Amino acid sequence: MRIANLAGRAVLLVQDGAVDIHKASEGALDPDPGALFERWEEVRPLLVGLAGECVPYAERDLLAPVPSPRQIFAIGVNYEGHAEEAELAAPAVSGCPVTFTKFASCLTGPDSDVVLPPGMVDWEVELVAVIGRAAHRVPAEGAWAHVAGLTIGQDLTERITQWSGPTPQQFSLGKSYPGFGPLGPAVVTLEEFDDPGDLRIGCSVNGVTMQDASTSDMIFNVPELVARLSAIVPLLPGDLIFTGTPAGIGATRVPAVFLKNGDELVSHIEGIGTLRTTFGEG
Ligand code: ZN
């Protein structure tokens, strides 16, 4: 299933268009996409096989499929290649993943315009796991059962803010300007993937490939992240985990490259789709 947010209403994306979940369920399911994921365990069986009127839609009308999660976790340095380019020590798999948040107000849709704040704004394409079943102290074995589905996120980052101040650096603020969390186009449930742990991931700026990797290269994979995070913080249905970015960010290129007005950033993950983000002045 591909669950999306069409102009504020939860829909299933199908071959020829979108099916409104509230209407198709004759009112049994909430039209609010966020509410759907917060009650995922009750909702999922009702969604399976749901059929209804299918209407065409414009990509432009899709919004963040999980618009206001209660918690957003974001993971730093989770691919060896990115650890190398950033000259950071990769965490030991036996250790704790580098964790920060993106404040929820930064989330935006899969086809959006983002205002560039002053500074050095960079891209980070990331697989995002959406929690479907509450998780507290769950082992990695079986942790996929706590995941409702996967989507694409961009962890847009203003590097000057991120790196400012004494330690710890300002990761959460530098990654939370308005629009810095493009998300979508849909949350894709796990049975849609041959292997949800091995997906091609990448992004391009103005048609030039910047990142190209596989999610199988993660240091902490999705089940490990659910285990390590939930060892400390209870994960709630509808929470998001931005799972870290592969090599190819702009800041570590020689010379460094940052986003500028008029740029188009296209991010993709196999089996999920694409995000299209354009940048301009406020
Ligand atoms: Zn990131």
Side-chain angles (χ1 to χ4, degrees):
M1 292 184 287
R2 308 175 70 81
I3 300 146
N5 177 349
L6 183 58
R9 292 183 67 91
V11 294
L12 284 175
L13 298 186
V14 293
Q15 194 83 42
D16 307 315
V19 174
D20 187 282
I21 286 173
H22 181 71
K23 286 185 197 158
S25 67
E26 294 175 340
L29 291 171
D30 206 300
D32 170 35
L36 217 59
F37 288 104
E38 289 185 14
R39 294 173 43 230
W40 180 248
E41 287 197 273
E42 299 161 53
V43 163
R44 189 194 154 88
L46 301 176
L47 282 179
V48 174
L50 189 70
E53 187 195 1
C54 176
V55 295
Y57 65 93
E59 299 277 333
R60 193 76 195 161
D61 293 331
L62 293 177
L63 305 176
V66 189
S68 48
R70 288 175 284 188
Q71 303 184 98
I72 302 175
F73 301 87
I75 307 302
V77 210
N78 200 26
Y79 288 79
E80 293 282 356
H82 178 55
E84 281 164 26
E85 71 180 358
E87 297 179 358
L88 293 166
V93 184
S94 58
C96 201
V98 174
T99 306
F100 54 94
T101 193
K102 289 177 79 71
F103 296 104
S105 60
C106 79
L107 293 176
T108 189
D111 188 333
S112 59
D113 303 314
V114 174
V115 173
L116 285 173
M120 307 188 309
V121 179
D122 205 345
W123 54 84
E124 295 190 358
V125 64
E126 307 200 1
L127 179 76
V128 175
V130 181
I131 297 298
R133 180 192 299 170
H136 193 203
R137 300 177 185 150
V138 303
E141 301 73 42
W144 275 120
H146 294 263
V147 175
L150 302 174
T151 190
I152 311 171
Q154 255 294 342
D155 179 17
L156 292 172
T157 304
E158 197 287 294
R159 298 294 182 196
I160 295 174
T161 308
Q162 181 195 359
W163 294 329
S164 70
T167 189
Q169 298 172 326
Q170 297 284 12
F171 276 59
S172 300
L173 283 177
K175 292 163 173 279
S176 292
Y177 283 91
F180 270 31
L183 191 75
V187 176
V188 180
T189 50
L190 301 179
E191 77 283 354
E192 300 282 338
F193 301 96
D194 290 335
D195 178 356
D198 182 7
L199 304 172
R200 207 78 209 160
I201 178 171
C203 74
S204 64
V205 176
N206 303 330
V208 178
T209 298
M210 294 296 183
Q211 297 184 284
D212 182 23
S214 166
T215 61
S216 64
D217 298 333
M218 285 182 190
I219 296 168
F220 297 96
N221 61 24
V222 170
E224 286 288 351
L225 288 173
V226 170
R228 303 307 165 100
L229 295 173
S230 80
I232 298 173
V233 182
L235 308 186
L236 307 173
D239 285 357
L240 304 180
I241 305 173
F242 280 70
T243 59
T245 201
I249 62 168
T252 56
R253 290 168 188 266
V254 183
V257 182
F258 295 106
L259 292 162
K260 56 190 189 309
N261 291 330
D263 280 352
E264 181 188 59
L265 172 64
V266 175
S267 312
H268 60 88
I269 298 181
E270 177 186 359
I272 303 176
T274 57
L275 301 176
R276 184 181 159 280
T277 313
T278 54
F279 297 87
E281 288 175 87

